[in-house]
């Protein structure tokens, strides 16, 4: 019997009060400069907001609790956007939606920064058990950036992977690391580069003593990309069953899976809140359609980040994921 784990991919919306307060302070808006050295008033606002979203997850009963990534105005590009050797330029559309980020242009070596580790350290003070880290996967971070230093796409991919590994090595103790890789779906690597992705992902995964989940979304991976990704030394690969259940199911049926699996079954962009019973029916549907469904751990999560949602709907999605897993466990015990 698989161990069901309720979690999220992180990147939460700001609480309503924080949106207003941060907007009032130095004209802060989505896409403004967040450099890691905000003044004490901004830092205090982010600290209070972090405390709130951590408590929301804990109170709901999520098995894994994330820091929330509330400072990530540039979404997955954030770890580069705050780096001293990266210049942020014009506003770029964040994949195919109405969110935007500042283009990070790498101009020198990607040395250690520590920004994400500092956020996790703060979250760890409030999480007794089940802390989960979130990072962009190396391919997605390289895809979102522009390289004006390394000069070769393969070298740049591995430089980004080494950078992320250095950041991850500084994390406090975490139980799980989610590597978010939507670019593997939205902007699939060309032939040659696709075979480099498993090594890059493994570089980051090896930096933590934790279970590692690679979570692509906004569709399904091309067959060749998926087959390559299975060569990475990770515990689980995620599947966005909201955006494309047929193609994701085909990949699982045709190529198999890792020992663990992450199922994106709640819509991270839609305000309609799923019922726990419906979520569990979707878990059963996936397993019923696989020739072999013997996973050590199954992560039940939203398919995408939830920063697209109103804050109250984000809270409801978190509660729905936790309630679904709790309900499934109760039914098993009965």
């Amino acid at each position: 019997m698989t161990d069901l784990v309720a979690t999220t991919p992180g990147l939460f919306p700001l609480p309503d009060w924080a949106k207003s307060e941060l907007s009032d302070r130095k004209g802060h808006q989505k896409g403004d400069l967040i450099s890691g050295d905000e003044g004490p008033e901004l830092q205090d606002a982010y600290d209070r907001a972090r405390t709130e979203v951590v408590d929301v997850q804990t109170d709901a009963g999520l098995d894994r609790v994330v820091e929330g990534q509330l400072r990530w105005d540039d979404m997955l590009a954030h770890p580069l956007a705050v780096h001293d050797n990266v210049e942020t330029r014009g506003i770029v559309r964040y994949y195919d939606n109405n969110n935007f980020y500042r283009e990070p242009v790498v101009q020198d070596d990607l040395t250690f920064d520590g920004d994400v580790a500092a956020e996790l350290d703060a979250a760890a003070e409030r999480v007794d058990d089940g802390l989960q880290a979130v990072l962009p996967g190396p391919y997605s971070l390289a895809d979102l950036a522009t390289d004006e230093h390394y000069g070769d796409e393969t070298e740049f991919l591995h430089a980004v992977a080494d950078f992320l590994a250095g950041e991850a090595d500084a994390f406090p103790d975490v139980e799980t690391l989610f590597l978010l890789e939507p670019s593997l779906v939205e902007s699939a690597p060309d032939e040659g580069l696709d075979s480099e992705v498993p090594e890059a992902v493994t570089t980051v995964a090896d930096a933590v003593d934790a279970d590692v989940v690679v979570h692509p979304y906004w569709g399904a991976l091309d067959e060749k990309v998926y087959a390559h990704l299975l060569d990475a030394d990770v515990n689980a690969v995620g599947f966005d069953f909201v955006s494309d259940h047929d193609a994701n199911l085909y990949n699982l049926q045709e190529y198999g899976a890792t020992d663990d699996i992450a199922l994106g079954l709640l819509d991270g962009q839609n305000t309609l809140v799923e019922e726990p019973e419906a979520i569990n029916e979707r878990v059963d549907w996936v397993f019923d359609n696989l020739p072999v469904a013997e996973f050590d751990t199954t992560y039940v999560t939203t398919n995408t980040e939830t920063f697209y949602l109103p804050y109250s709907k984000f809270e409801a999605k978190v509660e729905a994921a936790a309630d679904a897993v709790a309900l499934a466990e109760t039914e098993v015990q009965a």
Side-chain angles (χ1 to χ4, degrees), residues 9-12 66-73 119-120 132-134:
L11 279 162
F12 295 157
V66 303
E67 182 270 336
Q69 296 72 50
L70 302 177
R71 290 177 55 251
W72 292 26
D73 279 12
E119 294 177 332
L120 275 171
Q132 175 176 300
V134 174

Side-chain angles (χ1 to χ4, degrees), residues 38-270:
E38 301 94 339
E41 291 183 340
L42 282 175
Q43 289 181 12
D44 176 69
Y46 279 118
D47 287 344
R48 286 184 282 123
R50 179 190 298 111
T51 295
E52 182 171 327
V53 299
V54 166
D55 289 348
V56 164
Q57 297 168 84
T58 302
D59 293 345
L62 280 188
D63 299 296
R64 299 291 183 271
V65 175
V66 303
E67 182 270 336
Q69 296 72 50
L70 302 177
R71 290 177 55 251
W72 292 26
D73 279 12
D74 298 292
M75 278 72 80
L76 292 183
H78 171 86
L80 289 185
V82 298
H83 196 282
D84 288 342
N85 293 337
V86 176
E87 178 185 350
T88 51
R89 294 182 184 169
I91 300 298
V92 183
R93 186 177 295 275
Y94 184 63
Y95 298 103
D96 188 22
N97 60 42
N98 291 323
N99 290 277
F100 300 87
Y101 70 102
R102 297 167 303 156
E103 178 190 15
V105 181
V106 177
Q107 299 183 316
D108 207 337
D109 288 349
L110 291 175
T111 53
F112 175 73
D113 182 83
D115 181 86
V116 180
E119 294 177 332
L120 275 171
D121 285 336
E125 296 178 1
R126 296 193 64 83
V127 180
D128 295 328
D129 187 44
L131 183 63
Q132 175 176 300
V134 174
L135 281 174
Y139 178 74
S140 291
L141 188 55
D143 177 59
L144 292 171
T146 297
D147 171 34
E148 290 188 353
H149 175 64
Y150 292 94
D152 175 83
E153 64 177 3
T154 298
E155 183 180 353
F156 184 52
L157 172 63
H158 291 297
V160 170
D162 289 339
F163 162 69
L164 289 172
E167 301 303 294
D169 184 59
F171 288 172
D173 289 340
V174 297
E175 195 155 343
T176 309
L177 168 62
F178 259 54
L179 295 176
L180 307 187
E181 282 282 17
S183 284
L184 286 177
V185 174
E186 288 284 310
S187 181
D190 294 332
E191 186 171 356
L193 190 62
D194 57 359
S195 62
E196 300 290 333
V197 170
E199 180 182 346
V201 168
T202 299
T203 295
V204 185
D206 285 348
V208 293
D209 183 15
D211 293 332
V212 178
V213 180
V214 181
H215 188 54
Y217 46 94
W218 288 321
L221 297 173
D222 292 341
E223 293 179 52
K224 189 175 181 182
V225 174
Y226 179 63
H228 278 303
L229 186 58
L230 289 179
D231 290 333
D233 187 12
V234 297
N235 300 87
V237 171
F239 299 86
D240 178 356
F241 278 101
V242 175
S243 298
D244 193 335
H245 56 271
D246 289 335
N248 276 302
L249 185 63
Y250 173 82
N251 281 341
L252 280 165
Q253 293 171 332
E254 189 72 15
Y255 299 100
T258 45
D259 290 339
D260 301 337
I261 191 171
L263 302 179
L265 299 172
L266 294 85
D267 194 332
Q269 301 177 85
N270 193 312

